[in-house]
Amino acid sequence: MSEISIIYDGKCELCNNSINWLKKKIEITALDFHSADLPQFGLSLQQCSREVFVITGNKTLSGAGAVAYLLRVRGNRVLSYLITLSGPIGRSGYRWVAGHRNSAPVKLLSRLLKN
């Protein structure tokens, strides 16, 4: 398997808890977009402020696609499949979570990942 690099928002509690949750099962390189060398990955600050990016091999995934990939690699294949299968619904769900990080449902998800 290729190395997996994740470019995420290091100031986001859900993002940090997600990274720690992933590290329990898979080897990743996690880079906070606030301090990462984004041009090295062909990414901009504007792009990374909107969604997570996964770079593995010659593939770059973002948003819901990145989340589905990480879930599959971690062994959560059913959830990965559901996100992928849902298409625009999964992408809309990702955008909702990203835009509502301080909402009760997102804070609950963050706490669940922390345990």
Side-chain angles (χ1 to χ4, degrees), residues 12-72:
C12 166
E13 181 182 0
L14 174 63
C15 301
N16 283 310
N17 289 344
S18 298
I19 291 294
N20 291 331
W21 181 77
L22 288 165
K23 285 181 175 180
K24 291 178 182 178
K25 295 256 182 148
I26 60 175
E27 189 173 323
I28 58 172
T29 300
L31 305 165
D32 179 353
F33 83 82
H34 297 281
S35 57
D37 179 14
L38 299 178
Q40 166 190 342
F41 299 100
L43 298 170
S44 70
L45 188 61
Q46 183 180 20
Q47 288 174 295
C48 295
S49 67
R50 287 192 310 259
E51 59 189 345
V52 66
F53 283 85
V54 170
I55 295 101
T56 181
N58 61 355
K59 192 177 357 176
T60 299
L61 304 164
S62 64
V67 171
Y69 172 81
L70 292 169
L71 286 168
R72 184 175 52 79

